[in-house]
Amino acid sequence: MIRTGRRIWNRNASTGAGEGGLKLTDAAVERLKELRRDGGNEEVLLRVRVDAGGCSGFQYRFDLMEGPPGEKDRVFEKDGQKVVVDDVSLAFVEGATVDYVEELIKQSFQVVDNPNAEMDADVEAPSQPDDPRNDVV
C-alpha cells in the first residue's frame, strides 16, 4: 500500500474488471463521441494519467490526444470510444471506471469506483505543545 495525503492506494486490490481493465460509463462514451464529432477528428482519444499531487496525494489528469498510443500505453474501448492509460498510471486506476459528470458549475471526466483508492480516516495536524487539547484530564 502507498499512503498519500488522505488516501491509501492499494496496488494489490482486486480489479473486478477481468485482466485489469478500465471501464467507461455510457456518459463518458457519449461525451467522447461529442468531442470527436464537434472537433471533426475521429482519432481523438482520452488519456488518463495519475500524477503526484504533493500533500494532497495523487490526482487524476485527463487530456485529449491525437495519434497512436505509445508503446507502454494500454487502450480500453467501449462502443468505439477509446481511453489510453500508461503502465504506471494503470497500476493506480486498474479496475476503476471513467465517468463524465455534468454539474451546475462544472463538467468533467472523473475516475470513480476505484478499488485501488480507499479513503483514510481524518488526519489531524500535530498540535502545538502549549495547546490546551494536550492537557491530560
Side-chain angles (χ1 to χ4, degrees), residues 1-13 50 55-58 60 91-93 114-123:
M1 278 196 238
I2 299 172
R3 185 181 186 132
T4 58
R6 295 173 53 91
R7 291 191 181 268
I8 297 175
W9 295 87
N10 183 357
R11 290 184 148 197
N12 299 320
V50 178
C55 60
S56 63
F58 291 99
Y60 302 113
F92 296 103
V93 296
N114 188 346
N116 303 299
E118 302 171 7
M119 289 305 293
D120 194 5
D122 286 341
V123 178

Side-chain angles (χ1 to χ4, degrees), residues 24-101:
L24 293 143
T25 64
D26 291 338
V29 168
E30 289 306 311
R31 181 59 180 152
L32 284 170
K33 286 180 181 178
E34 289 173 10
L35 291 169
R36 291 174 116 182
R37 186 175 47 250
D38 294 348
N41 185 348
E42 292 299 312
E43 299 302 315
V44 171
L45 308 171
L46 178 66
R47 174 173 291 285
V48 178
R49 290 191 336 232
V50 178
D51 290 340
C55 60
S56 63
F58 291 99
Q59 297 178 350
Y60 302 113
R61 295 193 43 105
F62 300 91
D63 299 301
L64 295 177
M65 63 176 274
E66 296 180 22
E71 278 182 26
K72 295 185 178 186
D73 287 335
R74 295 271 311 271
V75 179
F76 301 95
E77 184 174 352
K78 180 178 177 182
D79 295 335
Q81 305 310 303
K82 298 177 183 175
V83 175
V84 177
V85 183
D86 63 85
D87 284 345
V88 174
S89 296
L90 182 59
F92 296 103
V93 296
E94 197 169 25
T97 301
V98 174
D99 194 11
Y100 182 74
V101 178

